[in-house]
Amino acid sequence: DQLGVVAEGRAGAAAHRAAQRAAKTRVPIFGLLRDVGARRDSAGRPHADLSALDADAALYDGWSVSVKLLDSDLVAAGGAHAKPLSVWVADGEAELEAAWRLGVESVITNRPRWASGVMARWRRQCERDGPWPQQPGPGG
């Protein structure tokens, strides 16, 4: 089992770190990246603020990201800081496939049985045909 805590903002991350020190424990803290309130491009698609992500990289062990923000630039930014991305909520095949192709570390879904079955099918396909090419995420 893998545990993690999602914190929104610097104050939340600091509070979780302090509580963990007091409890003499260590659980990864993931910074929350919401699509609500995110800057939007001319087509209305939300995008993560990568400069803020860079500035706050030391605060977090990874990021918990809305699937609506998922794109190759965000994955590259996470990789540049060696921080995992946990994407939520991938309940449709297009979102799940984007996360799969972009190589995110974990996916949160309300349909785990379905997602496990789809990903098992994709794994078999990759074993048979070789890896899928990476493609931009939803809207990107």
Side-chain angles (χ1 to χ4, degrees), residues 23-34:
K24 296 184 172 122
T25 190
R26 180 76 164 88
V27 176
I29 297 175
F30 289 80
L32 181 62
L33 297 178
R34 296 178 186 269

Side-chain angles (χ1 to χ4, degrees), residues 34-42 44-51 68-69 71 73:
R34 296 178 186 269
D35 57 285
V36 174
R39 89 180 152 75
R40 297 188 179 269
D41 64 18
S42 60
R45 291 183 301 252
H47 293 275
D49 182 349
L50 299 180
S51 61
K68 294 175 185 174
L69 297 174
D71 63 22
D73 291 336

Side-chain angles (χ1 to χ4, degrees), residues 96-110:
L96 190 62
E97 183 176 334
W100 173 276
R101 286 184 183 270
L102 289 169
V104 302
E105 285 76 4
S106 65
V107 175
I108 298 167
T109 181
N110 291 310

Side-chain angles (χ1 to χ4, degrees), residues 10-20 29:
R10 294 173 179 209
H16 281 292
R17 285 276 182 244
Q20 289 181 21
I29 297 175

